[in-house]
Amino acid sequence: MPDETAQHDGAEISVALDRLAAGCRILEMEGHASRILGHASLRDPLGRGFWLKRWGISFGETKGPGDFVLMDFDGNQIAGDGRAPSEWPIHAGILMARADVASVVHSHPFFGRVFSAVTDPLLPVSNTGNWFPAPPPRFEMTSELIRTIEQGNAVARALGDNMAVFLRNHGVVFCGGSIEQAILMGVQLEEACREH
């Protein structure tokens, strides 16, 4: 007899990854597209690590569960086709540091990239800015790709208890307690940068 619990868990994960894929497509429409760059993750509800948009497709090309790979926190791919983006440590670092976070996104939106290159704090100009009770902090360690767990942990420390962080001269990282909150954070962050 098939394991009904495993089937239920698999169906639940599939539904969640469909929602994350829809969130990726929304981010594409909202200015977060940068060819195949950028990735979104979801904490695995079974505690095995996190699901991460696979390398080689854009946010807009992310269609469903088959476009995600399951990673453990040491960077081992344990499920899914394709390969993981090299910046998986961003997701591992934040998800290990923040039990309240379910979903993490790293992207390179135009206005967010520009704002990541300046030192002025992001101030609320309209209601959009009110999503950020304090100006998002800046990660200053490097402007290069975040490819080591030490760098990923440093991004998590820079993020602190905020929901977004600028990566100097690179892009943005944002997160949420749900997929939907993370996507809204990204949409609002880019709009706040555009308005500033």
Side-chain angles (χ1 to χ4, degrees):
M1 182 160 96
D3 182 347
E4 291 181 21
T5 302
Q7 288 178 350
H8 173 73
D9 291 339
E12 182 180 323
I13 291 168
S14 182
V15 167
L17 292 177
D18 272 332
R19 289 186 5 251
L20 186 56
C24 288
R25 295 190 303 273
I26 290 168
L27 289 172
E28 174 99 7
M29 292 184 294
E30 292 290 334
H32 288 260
S34 184
R35 295 165 299 284
I36 63 168
L37 304 177
H39 23 89
S41 67
L42 173 67
R43 186 186 299 276
D44 179 57
L46 302 180
R48 298 170 293 180
F50 55 98
W51 292 90
L52 182 62
K53 181 182 83 62
R54 67 180 173 87
W55 182 86
I57 59 171
S58 69
F59 281 135
E61 295 170 318
T62 309
K63 301 300 181 199
D67 290 322
F68 296 92
V69 295
L70 177 60
M71 307 288 295
D72 69 18
F73 291 109
D74 294 321
N76 300 304
Q77 184 173 325
I78 53 181
D81 296 324
R83 70 178 209 232
S86 63
E87 289 190 296
W88 65 266
I90 293 171
H91 304 266
I94 292 170
L95 291 168
M96 285 190 298
R98 295 276 301 271
D100 62 313
V101 169
S103 184
V104 177
V105 181
H106 168 46
S107 66
H108 311 88
F110 178 82
F111 292 98
R113 281 195 330 265
V114 170
F115 211 86
S116 78
V118 301
T119 57
D120 293 343
L122 179 65
L123 301 175
V125 175
S126 72
N127 287 339
T128 300
N130 291 329
W131 278 70
F132 307 96
R138 290 171 46 86
F139 173 72
E140 298 276 1
M141 177 187 280
T142 182
S143 297
E144 302 298 321
L145 297 177
I146 309 302
R147 290 185 167 165
T148 69
I149 195 60
E150 293 77 21
Q151 291 172 324
N153 291 340
V155 171
R157 285 192 299 275
L159 176 68
D161 61 359
N162 296 284
M163 300 307 265
V165 61
F166 292 104
L167 305 182
R168 183 188 66 199
N169 301 329
H170 181 164
V172 297
V173 174
F174 46 93
C175 58
S178 67
I179 294 166
E180 292 79 6
Q181 184 184 28
I183 301 306
L184 280 170
M185 282 292 169
V187 170
Q188 299 290 60
L189 180 61
E190 179 66 355
E191 188 171 329
C193 289
R194 185 169 60 243
E195 289 177 343
H196 189 78

